[in-house]
Amino acid sequence: MNPFQDAPKGATPRVHGERSETVNQRDTPRLLYLLTAGAAGLWLLALLLGR
Amino acid sequence: MTGLISWPVARATLRERGLAPLTLGITLVLVILGLFRSTADTWGAEAFSGFASFWFFLLILLLGAGLVADEVESGHAQLVLLRPLTRAQWLGGRLAGAALVLCAAGTLGWLVSLVAAFTRGAFDELPGRLLVLPLALLPALGWLATLAAIGAGARGWTNAGILLAARLGFGFLHFGLPVAFPKLGLSPLLDSISRHYGPQDILLVARQFQYGERFEPSGVLWDLFWFFAAWLVAVRVFNLRELARRRA
Amino acid sequence: MTAALQAQGLTRRYRTPGGGALVAVDALSFEVQPGEIVGILGPNGAGKTTALQLCLRLLHADAGEAKLFGLDPEDLSARRRVGYAPDAALFPKSLSGLQVLELHAQLLGVAREKAHGLVEQLNFGEPARRPTATYSRGQLQRLGLAQALLGDPDLLLLDEPTAGLDPAGVAQIRELLVGLRARGAAVLLNSHLLSEVERVCDRVLFMKGGRCLRVHDVKSGGQRAEVRLANGPQMAALLREKLPEGALDGDRFRIPVAGPEVVSAVVPALVRKLVELGAEVLEVKLGGAELEELYLQLVEGRA
């Protein structure tokens, strides 16, 4: 059995029928930005409320 | 969280760092200190403060030293990064593995000190004593993430040397400059820098809580922010370093 | 059919300390199809290792690109199907070989038992339980190979897989590669062991100075027979006259024979003819040193 399938024109090729999840290795997860920004926001809020 | 942390990498790091003889040795020291420093007038922080804080910081340095570089320089990181995981997940896994060892060692020292306190009937201190553990671990994790951030760009174990030099250097300036140049009035400036120079010691919050004093959460939140920010910087720097290495 | 690996004009320069640039790989194009074993042959510094690393994007190419199964090499679904065993891999010193394999098994999402089974299959059971700090070069090589094979890859890239292995290990790897080919996997391997490459590879790329000098089809390139004669020197003139396509070298007479399918008919006929001419045949070998001759001709520039 051939595990490789030709992709139809214009479609992303697939391996073993899997969805191609091209993850750009340069990406930094958005969750990490959210957590950092969230913590920074809470800290600033605490500073403001503490005054 | 799987987008941030590769748990298989974390488990392997836990094995690798957690079973190192030096890690086990320092954990033993923390346990002994927790056992014997618990006196009648303490409130739970003795497992992490004073002399114990030196050992705890040493453990952080040891766990974070070469956390990234060891794997990159041996070439094993290249093999692992060929697997279906991102660089961010790999770095998150390394950090999480070392963090788990740190939390386990800290918890063990704290638990022994808690039991020692109970044996002399200090049950009324319980809320403060319970709070001490997360308050000690949070800045420790912040330092560990800082080591990962420095280590994402530094060679070998130099990340630990750089962090130690930065802390000692600033400490020297903080206390030395006002003494050397008293007329310049540098103390307030240096104090305010010091409050944002790395994670802060927040054990005092447990004491405030214990004795019903006014509760000040900004230090805790600063440490939380520092932890995530250092982690974020570590991921970004590691990405840049890897791309630069591939292009060099 | 999509190629398992397709390299198109891969070029890579290294900056040298003096400020110059060294071209490690120069406009390299080739492909590896499913069910095919392709070897890269070349002297030290020919750019073989760099070529493999460019294919996997462990290094960025200055020009050209590589595709794995038609996908970007950093695509995670492509990576799930690729195995890579580098030359002289190193592993975390305090972990045992088995723990390293378990890590890779988890990352690939295959059962841990697979790692245990592979270790036994590679006769690596005892060392696998020791920390990798205690490993010899050959044992590190085996561990590197085991981690590459772990996910039943559809594309396997091997950098000098037999270096540091004992003869039994070399034979075992040969068997493994043939088995992989049989189930439709593609293999690209770097080696300087000509005999090994000739035995397992379907095609061979000759590389020198970062360039591909020639792609040689091992199977369809015809074979040659090497006949050892007891009276070679006395036969020289006669052989030159009657069998001019052959060449006598000492007591060895080498002559091209047709493709493998007709060898069974050609070889007895050749022997009969030689005997009729008065030759005393001691030994007949097929395959001969064709790749070695090509290598010397192409890479070393010898006629």
Side-chain angles (χ1 to χ4, degrees):
Chain A
M1 186 198 77
N2 169 33
F4 316 109
Q5 306 155 5
D6 273 333
K9 253 193 171 159
T12 318
R14 290 171 180 210
V15 181
H16 283 291
E18 257 183 67
R19 187 176 60 86
S20 166
E21 34 164 335
T22 304
V23 172
N24 189 335
Q25 290 270 312
R26 276 155 245 195
D27 275 352
T28 307
R30 197 173 300 158
L31 180 60
L32 199 48
Y33 282 107
L34 286 174
L35 288 169
T36 310
L42 284 175
W43 171 66
L44 282 171
L45 194 70
L47 273 190
L48 286 173
L49 292 177
R51 287 191 175 204
Chain B
M1 281 309 264
T2 46
L4 282 185
I5 294 170
S6 159
W7 291 107
V9 172
R11 269 192 292 274
T13 310
L14 179 77
R15 265 180 182 162
E16 175 201 325
R17 299 259 150 176
L19 298 178
L22 271 171
T23 310
L24 295 173
I26 296 181
T27 305
L28 187 68
V29 171
L30 288 175
V31 165
I32 292 170
L33 287 174
L35 191 64
F36 292 111
R37 290 186 72 232
S38 186
T39 54
D41 58 347
T42 53
W43 43 277
E46 62 281 354
F48 303 104
S49 63
F51 188 49
S53 74
F54 164 79
W55 289 99
F56 198 45
F57 190 68
L58 195 65
L59 180 65
I60 300 170
L61 282 180
L62 203 69
L63 290 172
L67 188 62
V68 179
D70 277 358
E71 283 277 283
V72 170
E73 285 162 20
S74 79
H76 187 235
Q78 311 298 321
L79 287 183
V80 173
L81 286 168
L82 270 180
R83 301 305 184 193
L85 83 166
T86 64
R87 280 193 281 272
Q89 285 170 321
W90 178 78
L91 194 127
R94 293 290 291 169
L95 183 59
L100 286 172
V101 180
L102 184 64
C103 291
T107 306
L108 203 63
W110 168 84
L111 210 59
V112 168
S113 121
L114 187 73
V115 171
F118 282 170
T119 55
R120 58 176 170 70
F123 294 105
D124 55 329
E125 296 166 356
L126 192 60
R129 284 190 175 272
L130 289 178
L131 205 56
V132 157
L133 182 66
L135 290 174
L137 291 181
L138 182 58
L141 292 176
W143 286 119
L144 192 65
T146 310
L147 280 168
I150 303 171
R155 282 171 184 276
W157 283 35
T158 50
N159 64 335
I162 292 169
L163 183 73
L164 197 62
R167 279 201 87 180
L168 290 176
F170 182 75
F172 182 73
L173 289 179
H174 190 189
F175 296 105
L177 279 184
V179 175
F181 308 101
K183 286 183 187 157
L184 291 177
L186 290 169
S187 275
L189 175 71
L190 288 167
D191 284 347
S192 90
I193 293 177
S194 167
R195 276 196 295 279
H196 302 100
Y197 191 74
Q200 299 298 299
D201 185 348
I202 46 176
L203 285 175
L204 210 61
V205 172
R207 193 189 159 86
Q208 290 165 345
F209 191 77
Q210 177 72 39
Y211 297 111
E213 294 170 12
R214 189 163 174 272
F215 179 58
E216 180 54 74
S218 70
V220 178
L221 293 168
W222 170 260
D223 284 3
L224 192 66
F225 161 69
W226 186 278
F227 170 64
F228 287 124
W231 184 353
L232 179 65
V233 169
V235 171
R236 301 275 313 180
V237 171
F238 183 58
N239 272 342
L240 289 175
R241 174 191 173 160
E242 265 299 287
L243 293 175
R245 189 193 59 73
R246 290 172 185 204
R247 295 210 167 91
Chain C
M1 188 161 46
T2 310
L5 167 63
Q6 187 175 31
Q8 199 75 55
L10 286 178
T11 301
R12 168 75 189 193
R13 293 175 207 94
Y14 287 115
R15 276 178 278 281
T16 53
L22 173 86
V23 182
V25 171
D26 193 2
L28 183 67
S29 298
F30 66 94
E31 53 181 51
V32 186
Q33 296 292 344
E36 188 182 35
I37 304 180
V38 175
I40 304 182
L41 273 177
N44 293 333
K48 305 188 297 283
T49 296
T50 305
L52 289 196
Q53 291 180 334
L54 288 173
C55 291
L56 293 167
R57 201 161 314 148
L58 288 172
L59 287 174
H60 277 277
D62 292 312
E65 64 165 2
K67 294 251 184 211
L68 307 179
F69 318 113
L71 297 166
D72 187 286
E74 292 212 316
D75 189 295
L76 300 192
S77 65
R79 296 202 152 184
R80 201 163 284 136
R81 297 279 128 215
V82 176
Y84 171 56
D87 183 25
L90 286 171
F91 300 96
K93 289 192 171 70
S94 57
L95 295 187
S96 72
L98 212 49
Q99 287 170 334
V100 170
L101 289 179
E102 280 175 6
L103 162 66
H104 285 268
Q106 287 166 354
L107 289 172
L108 282 164
V110 300
R112 280 180 181 194
E113 291 66 39
K114 174 100 193 170
H116 295 251
L118 200 57
V119 154
E120 296 306 326
Q121 195 191 337
L122 288 171
N123 294 332
F124 193 55
E126 184 273 322
R129 284 164 185 84
R130 281 192 274 123
T132 65
T134 63
Y135 283 15
S136 69
R137 176 163 157 71
Q139 288 168 333
L140 283 172
Q141 196 84 18
R142 274 174 198 255
L143 181 56
L145 197 75
Q147 64 79 30
L149 290 167
L150 203 50
D152 288 328
D154 292 320
L155 171 63
L156 190 65
L157 290 95
L158 306 173
D159 198 350
E160 299 286 1
T162 50
L165 289 188
D166 48 31
V170 173
Q172 201 171 27
I173 288 189
R174 196 189 313 131
E175 266 171 45
L176 260 166
L177 293 183
V178 171
L180 280 170
R181 172 169 58 193
R183 74 158 173 80
V187 180
L188 177 65
L189 68 96
N190 256 354
S191 183
H192 57 262
L193 275 183
L194 292 159
S195 57
E196 280 310 311
V197 169
E198 190 160 36
R199 285 173 87 160
V200 299
C201 291
D202 301 302
R203 283 189 300 136
V204 177
L205 267 77
F206 288 95
M207 270 188 90
K208 189 185 180 182
R211 303 189 71 116
C212 176
L213 299 174
R214 179 165 163 185
V215 182
H216 173 68
D217 208 321
V218 178
K219 291 289 180 293
S220 69
Q223 293 201 32
R224 73 183 41 199
E226 184 183 288
V227 188
R228 198 152 71 88
L229 304 171
N231 56 346
Q234 295 92 305
M235 294 288 298
L238 198 59
L239 287 174
R240 230 184 345 261
E241 187 196 331
K242 300 285 182 191
L243 291 165
E245 64 273 32
L248 188 70
D249 179 11
D251 63 345
R252 279 158 215 273
F253 180 66
R254 296 196 185 96
I255 183 165
V257 294
E261 59 281 358
V262 284
V263 160
S264 53
V266 170
V267 173
L270 173 69
V271 173
R272 232 178 353 256
K273 177 139 195 186
L274 284 169
V275 171
E276 278 168 16
L277 290 174
E280 291 168 21
V281 177
L282 293 174
E283 186 186 2
V284 181
K285 263 200 304 191
L286 272 176
E290 188 189 27
L291 213 55
E292 189 179 332
E293 266 171 42
L294 255 177
Y295 182 87
L296 291 175
Q297 208 177 71
L298 289 166
V299 178
E300 305 285 335
R302 290 190 216 161

